[in-house]
Amino acid sequence: MPVISSRHEAADVLQRVAEKGQWGCWPDDVTCEQVGRALFRIAMNAHEENALAGILRGWVAAKRERGL
């Protein structure tokens, strides 16, 4: 798995997922691991001590809001 070496590359990965997601799809050229690497690269300088915990809290909240 290639390293995501910049926030620009990370944003590109997330953009591709968001664009396909508009149509209820997932891009064939992006894996969930790549999304995780992109989120890490973007959040590595976050003010929260544990950015992953914050991301997971947001995930759980969004899931609950959608009734899932």
Side-chain angles (χ1 to χ4, degrees):
M1 181 70 51
V3 172
I4 295 178
S5 58
S6 72
R7 285 178 180 81
H8 179 74
E9 287 179 52
D12 180 57
V13 168
L14 298 180
Q15 178 69 31
R16 287 184 290 174
V17 172
E19 285 175 359
K20 284 283 190 164
Q22 291 285 10
W23 306 103
C25 301
W26 186 272
D28 293 331
D29 62 335
V30 177
T31 66
C32 288
E33 182 176 340
Q34 285 175 296
V35 171
R37 288 172 179 265
L39 289 172
F40 171 79
R41 184 65 178 136
I42 289 168
M44 64 189 291
N45 295 343
H47 295 291
E48 293 183 51
E49 186 171 324
N50 187 344
L52 178 58
I55 290 168
L56 291 175
R57 280 192 303 275
W59 178 294
V60 170
K63 189 174 176 181
R64 185 177 37 235
E65 289 163 2
R66 294 182 63 95
L68 302 173

